[in-house]
């Protein structure tokens, strides 16, 4: 299709990590787990504890790797889950990826959002943020702050656009590697808690202060 704004002849696909790019959910999840671990009596816990033991893992698996937690795993999980739910529902979608999505939709491109915290929740939040008919793919892998490869594949298919014409906005290095292997371009939004990860291979790095014009320019390149 012809695009009056960009002059492009082909429709593009944009896939955005709603939880961890648009909502800054890594901060929400990390804080929830730190407080949950403190609540059950664990000492000297911080964001680095979360990154080392829990990030990218299923909760029970990560908790079992922590010394001294014993039979307090269920209590920690319940406390963290409640705080995460509250945190996500209190968060407001924002940032250059969201604004780029609005412009892409205006240009007739296909935009898909990923979430692990309920499609209904994400759709409602996106509508309030100005996305009229959001398309959302829900992940069910239960890995903390990560989506499965299958979920990314579903999102790519949902765009209806060939992989080489898709771009993904991701928060983690694992997501970046997964998407790059699918022949999709990547804009990485590394969070400070996991900024030590290897993001090599991504075509662009961005953060909350990146001008939306830089992102749209990359999308249209």
């Amino acid at each position: 299709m012809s695009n009056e704004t960009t002059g492009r002849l082909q429709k593009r696909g944009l896939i955005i990590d709603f939880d961890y790019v648009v909502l800054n959910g890594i901060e929400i999840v990390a804080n929830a787990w730190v407080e949950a671990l403190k609540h059950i009596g664990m000492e000297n816990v911080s964001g680095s504890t979360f990154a080392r033991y829990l990030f990218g893992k299923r909760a029970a698996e990560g908790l079992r790797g922590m010394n001294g937690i014993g039979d307090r795993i269920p209590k920690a999980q319940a406390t963290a889950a409640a705080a995460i739910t509250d945190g996500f529902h209190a968060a407001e979608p924002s940032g250059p990826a969201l604004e780029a999505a609005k412009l892409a939709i205006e240009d007739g491109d296909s935009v898909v959002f990923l979430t692990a915290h309920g499609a209904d929740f994400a759709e409602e939040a996106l509508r309030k943020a100005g996305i009229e008919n959001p398309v959302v793919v829900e992940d069910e892998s239960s890995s903390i702050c990560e989506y499965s490869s299958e979920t990314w594949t579903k999102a790519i298919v949902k765009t209806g656009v060939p992989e080489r014409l898709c771009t993904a906005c991701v928060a983690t290095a694992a997501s970046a590697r997964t998407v790059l292997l699918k022949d999709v371009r990547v804009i990485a939004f590394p969070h400070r808690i996991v900024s030590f990860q290897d993001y090599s291979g991504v075509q662009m790095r961005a953060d909350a202060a990146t001008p939306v014009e830089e992102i749209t320019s990359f999308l249209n390149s």
Side-chain angles (χ1 to χ4, degrees):
M1 64 180 287
S2 178
N3 182 296
E4 294 181 1
T5 304
T6 63
R8 286 193 275 103
L9 297 177
Q10 291 178 299
K11 184 176 182 178
R12 301 293 178 97
L14 177 60
I15 305 162
I16 300 177
D17 178 342
F18 175 73
D19 293 352
Y20 309 118
V21 171
V22 176
L23 285 188
N24 192 28
I26 292 177
E27 190 84 19
I28 295 169
V29 175
N31 288 342
W33 275 108
V34 168
E35 292 307 311
L37 292 171
K38 290 179 179 178
H39 183 70
I40 62 169
M42 299 291 286
E43 299 180 351
N44 301 318
V45 293
S46 63
S48 60
T49 308
F50 166 78
R52 177 180 179 184
Y53 290 100
L54 292 164
F55 189 90
K57 301 175 182 176
R58 287 180 169 82
E61 173 193 353
L63 291 169
R64 283 194 295 269
M66 300 180 69
N67 293 328
I69 197 164
D71 60 0
R72 293 173 288 174
I73 288 177
K75 186 174 182 180
Q77 286 181 285
T79 302
I84 290 168
T85 297
D86 290 344
F88 270 87
H89 282 81
E92 294 186 4
S94 64
L98 178 64
E99 298 309 311
K102 294 176 183 178
L103 294 172
I105 292 169
E106 289 179 7
D107 286 342
D109 290 328
S110 180
V111 178
V112 176
F113 296 88
L114 270 63
T115 183
H117 293 88
D120 290 345
F121 156 68
E123 288 167 4
E124 181 181 0
L126 286 164
R127 280 193 290 269
K128 289 179 180 178
I131 305 290
E132 187 173 349
N133 296 299
V135 178
V136 176
V137 171
E138 184 174 354
D139 179 80
E140 299 178 354
S141 66
S142 299
S143 295
I144 297 174
C145 296
E146 295 286 12
Y147 303 112
S148 69
S149 176
E150 291 77 13
T151 298
W152 284 109
T153 297
K154 288 179 184 177
I156 294 166
V157 172
K158 197 80 171 177
T159 67
V161 175
E163 291 91 334
R164 63 183 178 80
L165 297 178
C166 288
T167 299
C169 294
V170 311
T172 73
S175 288
R177 288 192 296 272
T178 296
V179 174
L180 287 168
L181 287 172
K182 299 180 187 296
D183 199 27
V184 171
R185 299 192 306 171
V186 172
I187 302 175
F189 289 76
H191 187 276
R192 61 176 181 79
I193 291 176
V194 291
S195 60
F196 63 87
Q197 294 181 335
D198 181 7
Y199 288 85
S200 59
V202 304
Q203 289 85 358
M204 179 179 176
R205 283 178 177 247
D207 58 33
T210 301
V212 66
E213 293 81 7
E214 290 186 16
I215 295 176
T216 55
S217 177
F218 176 82
L219 295 175
N220 294 322
S221 64

